[in-house]
Amino acid sequence: MINEKGIVKSFIAFDDALFLKIFDKEFKLTKDFMVLYLTYKYTCYTRIQIYNKEVIVVEESIVATLEKKAIELRKTALIMIYKAQSGHPGGSLSAADVIAALYFKEMNIDPKNPQWENRDRFVLSKGHVCPILYSALVLKEYVPYETVYTLRQYGSPFQGHPDMKKCPGVDISTGSLGQGLSCAVGMALAGKRDEKSYRVFSMIGDGECQEGQIWEAAQCAVKYQLDNLVVFVDDNGLQIDGTTEEVMPNQDLEQKFKSFGFDTRRINGHSMEEIVNTLESIREVKNGKPTCIVCNTAKGRGVSFMENVVDWHGAAPKEEEYFLAMEELERGLN
Amino acid sequence: MSNHVLQKKATREAFGDEIVRLGKQNKNIYVVDIDIGKSCKTVKFAKELPNQHVNVGIAEQNGAGLAAGLATTGKIPFVSTYAVFGSLRMAEQVRQEICYPNLNVKIACSHGGLTPANDGGSHQSIEDMGVLRTFPNMTVIMGADYYSTKKLIEQAANIYGPVYLRFTRDTVPMIYDENEAFIIGKAKKLKDGKDIAIVANGDTVHLALAAAEQLEEEGVTVKLLDMHTIKPIDREAVIDCLSVGKIITIEDHNILNGLGSAVCEIVAEEGVGQVRRIGVQDQFGQSAPYEKLLELNGITVENIVKTAKGMLKEEFLHERNGHNV
């Protein structure tokens, strides 16, 4: 009945409430049927189902767990944008899977101690897609859940673009394209100089790669041999005025980063299996080279009518669209 | 004040010397060079403290952003370049990634004002202090000579937040001795008088001093301020000048939005007093001897004296007319 792997340390039934003690944390479960996701970095992902006060431990694959997380992130981002009637759904949805893999598996972070100096850093250089980052911060409990209803409102930690002074868990303020990667390089360089073990992850957009500063930062990351830096390119092929092909062709971004001296990969940015395996394969690599993972993605991914539609770059869904979108995402959960 | 008024030194030398001293004391002090370490005088730092030194090459924007990233980990980076690039080429990066998140980054720039004289108008930086003055959280400083600049650099390293420090490429006379104390945001009163007030900064302070001495010989008493920090400006010191009533500002900067403008803002708000601004006359420079460029803009001892006498004469005429009416 209790997990044979020893994750569940004790189990107490008390009237209508169940108490699960897992490691040192006590969970109070007040319904007869509950599902609790437990995510443990590098170990196992276990779902505990409780049927009528009986605990059943169901093993679930890492990938399946993260896929569900990604859907939760997408839903949460849409709730925010719908409530605010403002924000950037397209790029939030294309970035969701990578963000899920980073925040719920790969990154070594402690939401209770957002300033922990040996934490892994995340720099969202394409800062306008912050709703998806905020969703991860909400689900990781950096901020209370209610914060989702305050996006872009006065006094909210969830500013229109990420603000490190207002929101715990935001490692640097971003929003002006092309600039975040330089900050990530600075963080990674400090880590190297101080012989710290943390890593720095950054996500940039494909349209953002039209900014010259991206390449200034790239050459610098290579010069200083920042193998503690991982750059994701969310290559969704769209920007405000149209396709990147029409507006300003990027050529092959993987080849560009490779020629700058990065270790590069090109993956399907919506295949959780590929994302997880790629992160797994680079985790211990110490070859003096920064890594760039170019992710083939679709703007608006997960909501059929938003997918690959340029107008969803910065538009909020109306009521009908919102419920349709949530329904579609919900279907993905079951 | 120093007795060795004739001795001259560029204030960029003060940066080169002081930053090594500070870097040895505090391993969190970094220098981010943008290729021009030789002329910004950071070579010694690079050689002696390589683990605290970064050279990003000719890439100002990345230099500013990288410094912001360093600052998030507790480092105190000094981004070192020429004033025209440090204030303009990377202006948006300084705004977005340094001032907006209020990170502890210092922008330390040589070649301020007209001092890169023979480099020509492209390299003379006449807008920098004005531009950076409008960024919230930013402190804007230009020391008058070698020792005051050293002291102000030390202070800048010790206060939290973004600071813009501007140095001269060319040599300027030494005014202070090495024990003189300076506080960021507190003007240094060099002379006290009741006929005219002169507020100067950077490489114009020694001109103001010479003009004041000339005026004193003619019986005019002068209140003279070295306003090394134009933001936050020493409001009390400016208000103190209002008791004199007539104020001349002098700066090696466009008369728009620099020291003169900052003083005018306070004077206008107080509703009394009269200001004449001496500085770069909203025009680009060209290759020429430094003194020639100053002369073309009226940044000279003669013009300061003439302006002071003009203002005093105005008062005389005003009073006489007043009596006539």
Side-chain angles (χ1 to χ4, degrees):
Chain A
M1 190 169 92
I2 305 298
N3 186 348
E4 57 288 350
K5 289 191 174 184
I7 287 171
V8 179
K9 285 282 167 69
S10 64
F11 166 62
I12 315 149
F14 182 74
D15 291 335
D16 283 342
L18 296 174
F19 291 89
L20 280 179
K21 199 169 184 188
I22 300 155
F23 292 131
D24 288 331
K25 193 174 180 187
E26 203 163 82
F27 293 86
K28 184 183 179 189
L29 309 168
T30 51
K31 287 181 186 165
D32 284 341
F33 175 85
M34 284 202 70
V35 180
L36 174 66
Y37 291 105
L38 301 175
T39 56
Y40 293 107
K41 200 183 175 196
Y42 311 146
T43 55
C44 65
Y45 288 72
T46 309
R47 187 160 52 122
I48 298 179
Q49 295 186 339
I50 297 148
Y51 292 100
N52 296 321
K53 303 186 180 180
E54 193 181 10
V55 175
I56 302 164
V57 179
V58 185
E59 288 281 336
E60 190 177 70
S61 76
I62 295 165
V63 168
T65 306
L66 291 174
E67 279 170 346
K68 286 177 184 166
K69 277 290 171 206
I71 293 172
E72 278 185 59
L73 291 181
R74 288 185 163 96
K75 284 174 63 184
T76 312
L78 284 184
I79 293 168
M80 277 183 217
I81 296 169
Y82 173 64
K83 176 70 177 44
Q85 276 302 297
S86 171
H88 296 83
S92 293
L93 296 177
S94 68
D97 298 295
V98 169
I99 302 257
L102 288 176
Y103 274 86
F104 295 93
K105 177 169 189 299
E106 194 62 23
M107 280 170 59
N108 189 19
I109 47 178
D110 177 7
K112 296 223 156 28
N113 187 5
Q115 292 300 316
W116 174 39
E117 62 175 34
N118 210 28
R119 72 190 184 280
D120 286 346
R121 271 78 170 167
F122 179 67
V123 176
L124 185 64
S125 199
K126 44 179 287 183
H128 58 283
V129 308
C130 53
I132 203 70
L133 169 63
Y134 294 158
S135 299
L137 297 180
V138 161
L139 298 184
K140 293 294 283 188
E141 297 180 10
Y142 279 90
V143 288
Y145 185 82
E146 296 70 44
T147 318
V148 301
Y149 305 119
T150 67
L151 176 70
R152 292 178 168 240
Q153 285 178 21
Y154 176 71
S156 171
F158 290 175
Q159 293 289 296
H161 293 81
D163 183 340
M164 68 187 290
K165 290 285 163 197
K166 294 198 167 64
C167 186
V170 171
D171 289 316
I172 185 91
S173 304
T174 52
S176 180
L177 292 177
Q179 301 187 15
L181 188 55
S182 295
C183 303
V185 168
M187 293 171 187
L189 180 63
K192 281 266 164 199
R193 291 277 171 94
D194 292 348
E195 294 171 6
K196 294 258 168 67
S197 60
Y198 69 75
R199 291 192 291 163
V200 181
F201 298 90
S202 182
M203 178 180 277
I204 62 178
D206 55 340
E208 187 181 9
C209 289
Q210 293 158 4
E211 291 278 9
Q213 192 184 343
I214 289 292
W215 306 102
E216 293 185 2
Q219 68 192 5
C220 194
V222 172
K223 174 186 173 183
Y224 286 104
Q225 305 182 358
L226 303 180
D227 52 18
N228 55 351
L229 174 71
V230 180
V231 181
F232 289 91
V233 183
D234 186 18
D235 195 1
N236 61 32
L238 294 182
Q239 57 190 116
I240 292 183
D241 279 353
T243 65
T244 49
E245 237 1 75
E246 289 162 353
V247 179
M248 183 51 67
N250 273 315
Q251 310 306 333
D252 185 337
L253 285 170
E254 191 203 350
Q255 286 306 317
K256 274 189 174 172
F257 276 97
K258 193 189 279 290
S259 69
F260 269 72
F262 277 64
D263 245 359
T264 62
R265 305 273 197 292
R266 185 179 275 278
I267 64 168
N268 175 352
H270 298 311
S271 160
M272 194 56 79
E273 198 169 350
E274 272 192 58
I275 297 168
V276 168
N277 290 342
T278 305
L279 285 168
E280 190 82 43
S281 72
I282 63 168
R283 192 177 301 134
E284 303 302 333
V285 176
K286 288 280 164 246
N287 60 358
K289 285 179 171 187
T291 302
C292 175
I293 303 170
V294 181
C295 302
N296 295 331
T297 56
K299 222 165 179 171
R301 171 74 176 197
V303 178
S304 59
F305 59 89
M306 290 185 178
E307 230 164 271
N308 289 316
V309 178
V310 76
D311 290 342
W312 284 104
H313 170 88
K318 299 281 163 285
E319 188 177 339
E320 202 178 314
E321 295 164 331
Y322 168 70
F323 284 111
L324 205 60
M326 293 300 270
E327 203 184 298
E328 273 191 27
L329 289 167
E330 197 74 45
R331 252 182 274 142
L333 270 182
N334 301 320
Chain B
M1 270 165 57
S2 169
N3 296 321
H4 318 287
V5 178
L6 290 178
Q7 207 182 331
K8 289 174 108 185
K9 225 170 180 178
T11 60
R12 62 176 162 160
E13 302 283 356
F15 177 60
D17 295 343
E18 185 66 8
I19 199 68
V20 173
R21 195 182 73 82
L22 295 171
K24 283 179 178 170
Q25 274 176 11
N26 182 351
K27 67 175 176 48
N28 280 329
I29 292 198
Y30 271 53
V31 166
V32 177
D33 262 328
I34 303 175
D35 185 49
I36 41 183
K38 279 180 193 151
S39 55
C40 294
K41 302 296 165 196
T42 52
V43 174
K44 195 168 175 222
F45 187 98
K47 206 167 275 176
E48 295 188 18
L49 298 161
N51 208 42
Q52 292 158 243
H53 180 257
V54 185
N55 194 333
V56 299
I58 308 166
E60 288 80 7
Q61 306 174 101
N62 185 49
L66 180 144
L70 286 174
T72 64
T73 71
K75 310 294 177 209
I76 308 169
F78 281 71
V79 182
S80 173
T81 180
Y82 294 163
V84 74
F85 309 136
S87 63
L88 299 176
R89 184 59 169 267
M90 61 194 212
E92 203 220 339
Q93 284 73 14
V94 171
R95 178 190 186 272
Q96 305 286 7
E97 301 299 348
I98 296 171
C99 290
Y100 179 51
N102 195 23
L103 291 172
N104 199 14
V105 176
K106 320 299 170 186
I107 314 293
C109 291
S110 178
H111 291 47
L114 297 168
T115 70
N118 55 19
D119 284 332
S122 62
H123 280 56
Q124 292 154 9
S125 184
I126 56 171
E127 314 89 343
D128 53 338
M129 298 178 86
V131 169
L132 289 165
R133 188 165 80 92
T134 60
F135 292 0
N137 293 331
M138 181 59 97
T139 294
V140 181
I141 295 172
M142 186 179 195
D145 75 346
Y146 178 83
Y147 285 123
S148 62
T149 301
K150 273 189 87 164
K151 287 280 162 61
L152 290 162
I153 293 165
E154 183 187 20
Q155 283 239 335
N158 289 332
I159 62 166
Y160 183 88
V163 178
Y164 178 71
L165 290 150
R166 188 206 218 207
F167 315 125
T168 65
R169 186 199 72 168
D170 296 350
T171 60
V172 289
M174 314 260 279
I175 297 169
Y176 303 103
D177 67 43
E178 63 183 308
N179 299 317
E180 191 85 36
F182 288 85
I183 300 169
I184 289 175
K186 275 270 158 246
K188 174 68 68 182
K189 194 190 283 183
L190 290 170
K191 284 184 180 295
D192 209 355
K194 54 180 179 30
D195 297 321
I196 197 125
I198 303 179
V199 184
N201 69 3
D203 47 314
T204 66
V205 173
H206 74 96
L207 300 174
L209 201 55
E213 276 158 14
Q214 210 169 303
L215 286 165
E216 280 169 347
E217 276 172 23
E218 297 179 40
V220 179
T221 64
V222 181
K223 187 193 286 289
L224 174 58
L225 299 182
D226 170 1
M227 192 65 81
H228 46 76
T229 310
I230 72 160
K231 183 192 171 183
I233 196 161
D234 188 345
R235 196 180 174 91
E236 270 177 39
V238 175
I239 289 174
D240 186 45
C241 292
L242 296 177
S243 61
V244 176
K246 302 189 178 330
I247 305 170
I248 301 174
T249 63
I250 309 145
E251 61 197 311
D252 181 2
H253 187 280
N254 198 339
I255 53 164
L256 301 181
N257 210 13
L259 170 68
S261 297
V263 169
C264 283
E265 286 157 17
I266 296 169
V267 173
E269 279 166 1
E270 294 298 318
V272 286
Q274 215 183 357
V275 183
R276 294 282 180 273
R277 291 171 299 160
I278 294 176
V280 177
Q281 297 299 302
D282 197 22
Q283 60 183 350
F284 288 113
Q286 55 177 299
S287 286
Y290 169 58
E291 286 72 20
K292 176 73 184 169
L293 293 170
L294 293 178
E295 193 190 311
L296 285 168
N297 288 285
I299 309 170
T300 59
V301 175
E302 297 70 45
N303 193 38
I304 300 167
V305 171
K306 195 177 132 198
T307 306
K309 285 182 180 167
M311 288 178 95
L312 291 167
K313 195 176 167 201
E314 272 170 37
E315 181 182 55
F316 171 73
L317 291 172
H318 180 75
E319 272 179 13
R320 193 187 61 186
N321 292 341
H323 286 303
N324 286 349
V325 173

